[in-house]
């Protein structure tokens, strides 16, 4: 197990290094002079020179990369071309809201997917199964931005129950924070829930049809016991894996949702950075999302290994 | 329908057992009127091609098939109680307790996420109401009995830490754990290599002598039958086509299908689809059974009257009355053909000599 953990951590670090190269190259692949285009109408030779120097753009490219990497490792991601604010600081302010939204969306997704997937597998081919399938079919093909706007129209504009967008921090006002969170979390959560429903259903079906379930039934164990200890216990393993991986996909969807609901998260920040050609901020955002994504994958694998004795306890025969 | 043999020691008595499934292509008649008695200490082999209804007919006894679409009728008396009429609740007390099961694939019939000890004890705790530590003691005894070395150290090991043969021993231990009256072994050695197969067969023979339970041994492999069975039932399209004591079946087969099976034996000692060279054609689909005798499209002995229109009854044949040799056919195979098949059958099975010991 220790070997396995070390191996997986090593792999993740390697992948992160790969991402860092791509992110770094981003700055140098864009046509034209990034600093110049970022400055736009604010261009003055002094400002230009200062930024170029600050970003180290006048040195050889490899030196620039290792320099940048070295600083990135210590948390120094450069300064925003636009505001001059350190990128790490800008990201730090936006991480909280994005994490909150991702967490909320995941909860919504699981609240939908676990019951829907389990019931539809256990009642395979019956009405609840068809209902769950229809839901996931619709849910999967629902564009987030369209669904978000629909929710705003109904619950904010028409019924006036919830705010159409914005954010409040939990620390300041938990009630308001929840009200702001609800619509975006549901928007991102429904799609996640629809995707997860399918996985939960198929993992459950696979577990239900396993030969060991037949043997467990042949032992005369009550169905509820078999379901708990020989079906759900086995189905958890793929469900947890897919849920973790789905979090990564969820982060992608959240960018759109943040924009629709004016949610001050990483996605919003990245979009603004794209529009204003603020490359250091964009680099930082992409690097952060990639790191989180890799970390999630790593955690998923470690949890999986913990749950599955075939990995946890190496084969001895 | 009547079986003229002493019935005092009958453990399980099955009459007119029928199983059908509602399918998209109509009703599938998978088991069609099985009658047999299983006696204490006896090993009854159930042989037949894939799809002939061996598994379904035994699973249906305790309703281990999906119902619906499945439907089970008839009677199966175990100790004077009819299993077919029992509620699911009462059946829970039969499965694993009075009827033990061993399935084909030891790689998949154990749950990979639980240690084997737990998979052994859960049934015992449920049925016998004993404590965890008593159950573990019993589990160690059982594992010793089925020949697992260092049994007490292996209770907390997971299935993947055992070889295929060892796993099947664990599965057999599970099947035996509550001292069942009947053990149903469905292709219990099919997935194992020949050496392991022979060991498992010997183990079951020995345990049966020790514990006195009756065994229904389901297999494709006539070679295995010779090594383990007292009596054989040959199934075709959901029916018993021939039933006889094992020696009689090999020495004096009477049904055209059985003779065909035995003739196809020398090729490998086992029969599979492609080895059935001696019998042309394929078995019918249970949704689309031929009229008359289900075997008639493939039968070299059929006439074109009764065989194609009337279902032959199961009737007693052979020399001594009461030997229980029955066939479901209007005609018996001619003497010299029988002899040819018998020679083939005797020459082929590898376990035949072991049987004598
Ligand atoms: N749930 C089900 N629904 C419909 N048909 C079924 C079902 N279960 C089994 N059958 C059919 O019943 C027939 C007998 O199956 P069974 O498994 O008993 O055969 P078998 O003799 O055990 O074959 P094998 O040697 O391959 O194990 C097959 O034609 C199979 O397709
Ligand atoms: S009844 Fe006729 S068709 Fe059927 S096995 Fe006998 S001889 Fe062949
Ligand atoms: Mg079978």
């Amino acid at each position: 197990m220790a070997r396995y953990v070390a191996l997986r951590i090593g792999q993740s670090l390697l992948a992160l290094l790969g991402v860092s190269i791509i992110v770094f190259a981003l700055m140098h692949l864009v046509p034209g002079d990034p600093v110049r285009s970022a400055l736009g109408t604010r261009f003055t030779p002094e400002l230009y020179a200062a930024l170029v120097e600050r970003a180290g753009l006048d040195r050889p490219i490899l030196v620039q990369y290792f320099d940048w990497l070295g600083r990135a490792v210590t948390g120094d991601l450069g300064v925003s071309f636009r505001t001059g604010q350190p990128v790490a600081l800008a990201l730090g302010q936006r991480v909280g809201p994005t994490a909150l939204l991702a967490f909320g969306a995941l909860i919504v997704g699981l609240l939908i997917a676990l019951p829907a997937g389990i019931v539809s597998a256990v009642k395979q081919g019956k009405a609840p199964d068809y209902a769950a399938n229809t839901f996931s079919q619709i849910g999967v093909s629902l564009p987030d931005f369209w669904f978000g706007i629909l929710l705003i129209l109904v619950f904010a504009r028409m019924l006036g129950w919830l705010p159409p967008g914005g954010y409040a921090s939990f620390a300041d006002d938990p009630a308001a924070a929840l009200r702001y969170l609800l619509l975006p979390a549901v928007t991102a959560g429904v799609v996640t829930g629809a995707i997860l429903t399918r996985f939960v259903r198929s993992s459950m079906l696979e577990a239900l049809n396993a030969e060991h379930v037949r043997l467990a039934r042949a032992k005369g164990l009550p169905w509820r016991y078999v379901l708990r200890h020989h079906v759900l216990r086995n189905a958890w393993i793929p469900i947890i894996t897919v849920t973790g991986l789905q979090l990564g996909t969820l982060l992608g969807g959240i960018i759109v949702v943040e924009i629709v609901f004016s949610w001050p998260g990483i996605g919003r920040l990245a979009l603004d950075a794209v529009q204003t050609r603020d490359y250091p901020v964009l680099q930082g955002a992409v690097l952060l999302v990639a790191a989180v994504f890799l970390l999630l994958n790593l955690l998923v694998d470690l949890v999986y290994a913990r749950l599955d004795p075939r990995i946890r306890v190496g084969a001895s025969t | 329908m009547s079986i003229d043999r002493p019935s005092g020691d009958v453990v399980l008595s099955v009459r007119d057992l029928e199983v059908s499934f509602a399918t998209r292509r109509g009703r599938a008649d998978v088991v069609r009127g099985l009658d047999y008695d299983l006696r204490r200490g006896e090993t009854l082999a159930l042989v037949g091609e894939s799809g002939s209804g061996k598994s379904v007919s035994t699973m249906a006894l305790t309703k281990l098939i999906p119902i619906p679409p499945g439907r089970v009728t008839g009677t199966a008396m175990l100790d004077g109680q009819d299993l077919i009429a029992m509620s699911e609740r009462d059946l829970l007390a039969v499965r694993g307790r009075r009827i033990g099961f061993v399935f084909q694939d030891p790689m998949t019939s154990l749950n990979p996420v639980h240690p084997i000890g737990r998979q052994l004890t859960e049934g015992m705790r449920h049925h016998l109401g004993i404590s965890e530590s008593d159950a573990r003691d019993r589990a160690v005894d059982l594992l010793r009995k089925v020949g697992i070395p260092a049994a007490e150290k292996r209770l907390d090991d997971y299935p993947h830490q055992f070889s295929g043969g060892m796993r099947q021993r664990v599965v057999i231990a599970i099947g035996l754990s509550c001292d069942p009256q009947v053990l149903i072994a469905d292709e219990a050695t099919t997935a194992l290599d020949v050496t392991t197969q022979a060991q498992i067969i010997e183990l079951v023979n020995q345990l049966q002598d020790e514990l006195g339970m009756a065994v229904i041994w389901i297999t494709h492999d006539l070679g295995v039958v010779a090594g383990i069975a007292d009596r054989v039932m040959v199934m075709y399209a959901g029916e018993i086509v021939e039933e006889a004591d094992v020696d009689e079946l090999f020495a004096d087969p009477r049904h055209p299908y059985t003779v065909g099976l035995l003739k196809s034996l020398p090729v490998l000692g086992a029969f599979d689809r492609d080895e059935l060279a001696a019998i042309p054609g394929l078995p019918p689909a249970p949704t689309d059974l031929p009229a008359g005798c289900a075997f008639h499209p493939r039968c070299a002995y059929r006439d074109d009257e009764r065989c194609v229109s009337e279902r032959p009854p199961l009737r007693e044949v052979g020399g001594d009355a009461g030997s229980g040799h029955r066939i479901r056919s209007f005609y018996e195979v001619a003497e010299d053909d029988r002899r040819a098949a018998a020679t083939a059958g005797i020459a082929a099975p590898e376990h035949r000599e072991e049987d004598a010991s």
Side-chain angles (χ1 to χ4, degrees):
Chain A
M1 182 80 182
R3 240 189 76 118
Y4 176 76
V5 173
L7 189 77
R8 280 298 288 112
I9 291 176
Q11 279 173 346
S12 303
L13 287 177
L14 213 64
L16 195 58
L17 197 69
V19 172
S20 78
I21 293 174
I22 295 170
V23 166
F24 177 77
L26 185 78
M27 177 86 116
H28 298 270
L29 285 178
V30 287
D33 183 336
V35 179
R36 179 146 213 151
S37 57
L39 284 175
T41 53
R42 292 184 303 148
F43 180 83
T44 62
E46 295 74 35
L47 195 52
Y48 179 83
L51 274 179
V52 166
E53 223 239 279
R54 186 83 209 262
L57 292 176
D58 47 355
R59 283 172 299 152
I61 194 144
L62 265 181
V63 175
Q64 281 187 47
Y65 171 70
F66 284 109
D67 208 45
W68 175 79
L69 189 66
R71 278 186 280 121
V73 167
T74 63
D76 178 2
L77 292 165
V79 293
S80 163
F81 283 172
R82 281 266 108 147
T83 62
Q85 187 192 27
V87 172
L89 196 68
L91 289 174
Q93 289 167 349
R94 305 298 190 100
V95 159
T98 295
L100 179 66
L101 181 52
F103 187 67
L106 187 69
I107 301 263
V108 171
L110 285 176
L111 282 178
I112 294 170
L114 287 180
I118 290 173
V119 169
S120 91
V122 172
K123 302 273 176 208
Q124 192 195 1
K126 305 210 177 101
D129 188 20
Y130 289 121
N133 275 336
T134 310
F135 157 74
S136 68
Q137 210 98 62
I138 296 173
V140 167
S141 48
L142 217 58
D144 322 21
F145 71 90
W146 178 86
F147 185 52
I149 289 169
L150 183 78
L151 288 184
I152 292 175
L153 281 177
V154 174
F155 293 97
R157 298 264 182 277
M158 280 166 61
L159 298 171
W161 292 351
L162 292 163
Y167 170 81
S169 111
F170 255 96
D172 300 343
D173 184 349
L178 259 186
R179 279 165 51 80
Y180 281 116
L181 178 62
L182 203 57
L183 288 185
V186 167
T187 305
V190 162
V191 178
T192 308
I195 297 170
L196 284 178
T197 300
R198 293 183 166 188
F199 281 108
V200 172
R201 179 178 182 273
S202 65
S203 322
M204 278 295 291
L205 277 182
E206 200 185 319
L208 273 169
N209 291 321
E211 185 73 358
H212 68 253
V213 173
R214 196 158 75 104
L215 189 67
R217 293 233 299 135
K219 287 179 195 169
L221 299 167
W223 179 234
R224 292 190 75 88
Y225 179 96
V226 175
L227 203 57
R228 240 183 87 187
H229 297 279
H230 292 286
V231 179
L232 286 174
R233 174 63 180 77
N234 292 62
W236 278 134
I237 299 172
I239 290 173
I240 286 174
T241 310
V242 169
T243 304
L245 296 179
Q246 196 53 40
L247 256 177
T249 318
L250 185 69
L251 285 180
I254 276 183
I255 294 183
V256 176
V257 175
E258 284 184 354
I259 292 159
V260 173
F261 288 93
S262 326
W263 189 266
I266 300 279
R268 182 85 234 177
L269 183 72
L271 181 79
D272 291 344
V274 168
Q275 280 167 350
T276 57
R277 302 214 171 90
D278 195 345
Y279 293 105
V281 171
L282 188 58
Q283 278 179 324
V286 173
L287 203 60
L288 180 68
V289 171
V292 169
F293 186 82
L294 286 168
L295 186 69
L296 283 173
N297 274 320
L298 178 66
L299 287 177
V300 166
D301 279 357
L302 297 185
V303 170
Y304 181 90
R306 183 78 221 128
L307 285 175
D308 192 332
R310 280 165 295 187
I311 300 178
R312 183 174 79 227
V313 186
S316 69
T317 46
Chain B
M1 294 283 138
S2 73
I3 297 168
D4 311 319
R5 300 182 104 195
S7 61
D9 54 353
V10 168
V11 196
L12 176 69
S13 179
V14 175
R15 289 293 175 275
D16 211 21
L17 182 71
E18 301 201 340
V19 185
S20 62
F21 291 98
T23 72
R24 240 176 269 152
R25 299 148 117 230
R27 201 178 80 171
D29 292 302
V30 169
V31 177
R32 304 185 298 136
L34 288 201
D35 290 329
Y36 61 89
D37 286 337
L38 181 69
R39 292 174 190 77
R40 232 185 91 76
E42 173 183 57
T43 301
L44 174 63
L46 211 50
V47 295
E49 282 166 279
S50 191
S52 55
K54 307 180 296 290
S55 301
V56 169
S57 66
T58 45
M59 290 296 123
L61 293 175
T62 59
K63 305 227 176 82
L64 279 171
I65 55 165
I67 300 174
R71 205 177 101 89
V72 186
T73 59
T75 58
M77 306 300 286
L78 180 74
D79 267 354
Q81 282 177 295
D82 182 9
L83 299 176
I84 310 302
M86 267 188 198
S87 65
E88 174 68 18
R89 226 187 118 87
D90 290 338
L91 282 172
L92 285 181
V94 174
R95 294 182 199 137
R97 172 73 184 89
R98 292 160 67 191
I99 301 185
F101 292 87
V102 176
F103 295 138
Q104 170 168 355
D105 190 354
M107 298 319 210
T108 55
S109 46
L110 293 170
N111 189 338
V113 306
H114 296 305
I116 57 137
R118 151 119 197 237
Q119 300 187 56
L120 254 166
T121 54
E122 61 186 358
M124 293 192 275
R125 297 205 56 191
H126 175 70
H127 288 302
L128 311 176
I130 54 180
S131 71
E132 179 67 34
S133 71
D134 286 353
R136 282 178 73 91
D137 289 347
R138 255 185 94 110
V140 171
D141 285 347
L142 280 161
L143 290 179
R144 270 203 204 108
K145 207 175 271 177
V146 297
I148 301 225
E152 61 289 344
K153 287 197 203 111
R154 306 225 56 186
L155 275 188
D156 296 315
D157 282 353
Y158 289 88
H160 74 267
Q161 295 169 288
F162 293 82
S163 68
M166 285 295 151
R167 279 189 228 188
Q168 195 63 317
R169 287 169 193 261
V170 173
V171 176
I172 290 172
I174 291 173
L176 297 175
S177 61
C178 299
D179 289 332
Q181 293 157 283
V182 178
L183 184 74
I184 296 177
D186 192 344
E187 309 271 9
T189 56
T190 308
L192 304 173
D193 64 76
V194 183
T195 322
T196 317
Q197 207 174 60
Q199 288 169 355
I200 297 283
I201 287 169
E202 205 183 302
L203 172 71
V204 172
N205 273 333
Q206 171 211 326
L207 289 170
Q208 193 178 12
D209 288 346
E210 235 173 277
L211 309 170
M213 73 209 158
V215 175
I216 297 181
W217 188 276
I218 298 175
T219 182
H220 279 90
D221 188 343
L222 276 171
V224 171
V225 169
I228 198 166
D230 299 311
R231 219 146 43 87
V232 186
M233 294 201 308
V234 181
M235 280 189 79
Y236 184 81
E239 293 176 316
I240 299 173
V241 293
E242 182 154 13
E243 177 188 350
D245 286 344
V246 66
D247 296 329
E248 172 133 348
L249 188 98
F250 281 105
D252 193 18
R254 300 291 176 105
H255 193 283
Y257 179 65
T258 314
V259 169
L261 285 186
L262 287 171
K263 273 190 179 166
S264 68
L265 257 184
V267 186
L268 266 179
F271 61 92
D272 281 334
R273 269 171 226 99
D274 48 319
E275 285 166 35
L276 276 172
I279 310 173
L282 291 168
T287 44
D288 191 19
L289 294 166
C293 171
F295 186 56
H296 86 248
R298 303 170 73 188
C299 184
Y301 288 80
R302 77 155 177 260
D303 65 18
D304 286 321
E305 263 172 67
R306 282 209 293 177
C307 290
V308 296
S309 62
E310 206 182 307
R311 186 178 174 200
L314 193 59
R315 63 188 175 97
E316 192 116 356
V317 293
D320 352 324
S323 72
H325 191 167
R326 304 185 292 166
I327 64 169
R328 190 184 283 283
S329 171
F330 293 119
Y331 304 101
E332 290 176 42
V333 173
E335 183 89 43
D336 37 336
D337 255 2
R338 255 148 58 191
R339 211 167 297 126
T343 336
I346 286 164
E350 317 131 358
H351 305 294
R352 196 149 174 81
E353 280 79 27
E354 286 173 26
D355 190 34
S357 65

